[in-house]
Amino acid sequence: MPKFQAPRGTRDLLPADATTYRRMSDIASRLSELYGYRPIETPMFEDSAVFERGIGEVTDIVEKELFRIRSPGSDEDRWALRPEATAGICRAFVEHGMHTLPQPVRLATFGPMFRYDRPQAGRYRQFYQWNVEAIGDAGPAIDAELIELALRFVRDVGVQDVELHLNSIGDAACRPAYIAALVEYLAKYEDALPPTERHRLRANPLRVLDTRDARTQAILDDAPTIDAFLCPACRDHFDSLLAHLDRLEVPIHRAPRLVRGLDYYTRTAFELYQRGAEGQQSALGGGGRYDGLIELFGARPTPGVGFALGIDRIAMLAAKQGVAESIGKPVAVVVGADPAATDVRLALATQLRAAGVATGADLAPRKLGRQLEGAAREGAHFAIVIGDELEAGQVQLRDLEAGTQRLVNVADLVRELQRAHASHRHGESDTSPTAT
Ligand code: AMP
């Protein structure tokens, strides 16, 4: 047992995982740019009050999961590590007077978040999110833009079978009547509720809908849903959102009990799940409208909407679906019949790298058979075998997966590799003439 290990609930992202995360971060950056969401970086820690106010005092995140920090010499925990990004971004929006910019202000950030939660599969104390916000537009078209963007990310990462769960949670005008009806219903079962849910019922009844307790979930099966309580303005907003999503051909799954349990959350609420894997633990991400939040930071009322995708869970799903396997592997490895000719191998690899092809080179003076084994172990699609043909400007291009090989002019190598690798990734077979 080594003397030191990574703290409980944290992980080292070794090269294979780190490559997947890096790739997801690249996809997030590319999509942010494509959709006009500009990057923002806020501190990893903030005044605790930013989270207490911006997330809500009666939430698991603030009650139990904040990593609080004490500054040296102080006797209070003034700071906390960020458990999510929205609160810090809204704080920054107000601090920098972003309401004077053209509205809405579209912002995105990618990075680690920290929650002192009980670690388990898919639940860590340091985890990663891609967070996207649009502040200053009451929607509903922008809600649809964000939802489609979240789904586009998952699709571009290569993960399949992700379902959008969607609800409207009303606003300050209509939610109170719904909460009253919910409380009236749950009060009948109060004795059957576990202490946590009883506490929630009194402190913040909507949060009972988020319960992880199976017995409470069964009780909730017959509870009233918010649908019947939406006021005309919230109903219009939701109907229009549905129409926009339909226009974008985004399939939805109505989730009448999906809530975000805080007053400043309004109207749109959504979560992404792998099909058939519903339940709190497995949400890949979630988001919604928070029209009352900016006001809590002392600015004039400003509507906002955003989402956070859980990169760790999406990466896990990508690995399960085999998506991650080809990421970060070399397209080709240069090997050679003459073990000692490492300079020739390195020179060709350097030439291919300069042309943008991810290329490895076997730089150990070992036999060709060994070099080929190494290339296969690295997961390369091709081995480029240097032999006597090099004098005529040719090398053997060996497809390690198909077990075929053919002579290729060195001058054509980049084009050949790019074409063959691209068609391979898209599931087509390389139909060029081959000879083994
Ligand atoms: P939330 O802000 O709680 O809705 O979180 C948004 C997404 O972040 C969730 O759907 C998860 O995918 C992910 N997430 C939240 N908490 C954790 C955690 N402790 N470990 C890993 N992923 C998390």
Side-chain angles (χ1 to χ4, degrees), residues 325-343:
E325 275 161 26
S326 62
I327 298 173
K329 307 236 165 107
V331 173
V333 172
V334 182
V335 299
D338 175 3
T342 50
D343 58 336

Side-chain angles (χ1 to χ4, degrees), residues 115 117 122-124 127 129 260 283-286 308-310 312-313:
R115 294 184 194 174
D117 204 350
R123 193 166 285 277
Y124 308 104
F127 59 99
Q129 286 186 340
R260 321 222 108 203
L284 301 173
L309 294 187
D312 310 77
R313 292 189 195 170

Side-chain angles (χ1 to χ4, degrees), residues 364-434:
R366 52 183 180 172
K367 290 200 173 115
L368 179 58
R370 282 296 178 76
Q371 296 181 42
L372 282 168
E373 280 166 27
R377 246 198 320 273
E378 279 196 57
H381 184 184
F382 297 100
I384 297 160
V385 189
I386 300 178
D388 295 340
E389 307 90 346
L390 190 62
E391 280 168 34
Q394 293 188 311
V395 288
Q396 291 283 356
L397 181 59
R398 177 189 274 265
D399 185 325
L400 293 169
E401 290 166 24
T404 54
Q405 77 177 36
R406 61 198 163 91
L407 270 177
V408 170
N409 289 324
V410 173
D412 300 334
L413 205 46
V414 170
R415 210 184 49 233
E416 290 280 341
L417 281 169
Q418 281 168 341
R419 192 186 55 77
H421 189 61
S423 66
H424 170 77
R425 272 204 309 216
H426 292 109
E428 299 152 28
S429 58
D430 181 3
T431 50
S432 312
T434 56

Side-chain angles (χ1 to χ4, degrees), residues 1 20 67 70 85 123 129 131 182 191 213 234-235 258 276 321 331 378 383 385 424:
M1 189 67 122
T20 305
F67 261 101
R70 179 162 301 193
R123 193 166 285 277
Q129 286 186 340
N131 189 270
L182 181 66
D191 293 343
D213 173 58
C234 286
R235 165 64 51 202
L258 171 63
Q321 295 184 353
V331 173
E378 279 196 57
V385 189
H424 170 77

Side-chain angles (χ1 to χ4, degrees), residues 55-362:
I55 297 168
E57 311 240 5
V58 193
T59 55
D60 282 352
I61 294 183
V62 168
E63 280 181 331
K64 300 189 282 204
E65 297 171 6
L66 267 194
F67 261 101
R68 293 179 186 271
I69 307 171
R70 179 162 301 193
S71 16
S74 160
D75 55 5
E76 56 156 359
D77 298 333
R78 169 144 186 223
W79 318 101
L81 292 179
R82 64 179 189 190
E84 50 101 73
T86 308
I89 289 175
C90 288
R91 192 263 313 135
F93 181 92
V94 173
E95 181 175 338
H96 302 286
M98 291 191 221
H99 61 274
T100 60
L101 301 175
Q103 306 285 297
V105 179
R106 289 177 165 89
L107 300 167
T109 197
F110 189 103
M113 307 293 156
F114 306 86
R115 294 184 194 174
Y116 193 76
D117 204 350
R118 196 165 58 80
Q120 50 192 289
R123 193 166 285 277
Y124 308 104
R125 288 179 174 170
Q126 175 175 336
F127 59 99
Y128 292 77
Q129 286 186 340
W130 181 40
N131 189 270
V132 184
E133 316 283 352
I135 305 176
D137 183 329
I142 194 129
D143 306 34
E145 173 180 288
L146 276 162
I147 288 172
E148 193 275 333
L149 172 56
L151 288 165
R152 168 83 184 265
F153 175 83
V154 174
R155 201 170 63 229
D156 282 10
V157 164
V159 166
Q160 311 210 335
D161 284 336
V162 170
E163 207 165 67
L164 167 71
H165 289 214
L166 181 66
N167 196 19
S168 172
I169 57 170
D171 64 7
C174 54
R175 201 160 40 212
Y178 169 62
I179 294 175
L182 181 66
V183 170
E184 191 185 322
Y185 171 84
L186 287 173
K188 288 186 287 189
Y189 300 94
E190 188 161 352
D191 293 343
L193 296 177
T196 339
E197 304 308 334
R198 251 180 280 160
H199 165 69
R200 288 171 157 185
L201 179 57
R202 274 187 295 273
N204 187 352
L206 280 183
R207 284 197 49 229
V208 179
L209 298 180
D210 278 338
T211 186
R212 297 179 196 173
D213 173 58
R215 187 139 170 225
T216 310
Q217 281 167 351
I219 292 172
L220 286 170
D221 278 345
D222 294 320
T225 58
I226 193 156
D227 232 23
F229 292 83
L230 292 182
C231 60
C234 286
R235 165 64 51 202
D236 283 352
H237 187 278
F238 193 49
D239 287 344
S240 174
L241 171 59
L242 294 176
H244 279 81
L245 289 172
D246 188 48
R247 182 72 204 274
L248 299 179
E249 297 181 18
V250 171
I252 65 147
H253 178 93
R254 284 280 285 115
R257 286 198 183 81
L258 171 63
V259 291
R260 321 222 108 203
L262 294 165
D263 287 347
Y264 60 76
Y265 282 119
T266 48
R267 300 183 172 169
T268 310
F270 64 95
E271 275 175 339
L272 303 187
Y273 286 95
Q274 185 191 7
R275 203 180 305 285
E278 288 143 35
Q280 266 290 302
Q281 292 308 64
S282 54
L284 301 173
R289 193 156 265 295
Y290 48 82
D291 292 347
L293 178 54
I294 292 280
E295 228 176 316
L296 294 182
F297 288 108
R300 63 167 184 234
T302 307
V305 58
F307 66 75
L309 294 187
I311 296 306
D312 310 77
R313 292 189 195 170
I314 294 174
M316 238 158 55
L317 195 55
K320 226 194 292 174
Q321 295 184 353
V323 175
E325 275 161 26
S326 62
I327 298 173
K329 307 236 165 107
V331 173
V333 172
V334 182
V335 299
D338 175 3
T342 50
D343 58 336
V344 181
R345 300 202 281 281
L346 180 58
L348 182 54
T350 305
Q351 194 184 326
L352 293 171
R353 289 166 182 165
V357 181
T359 312
D362 199 312

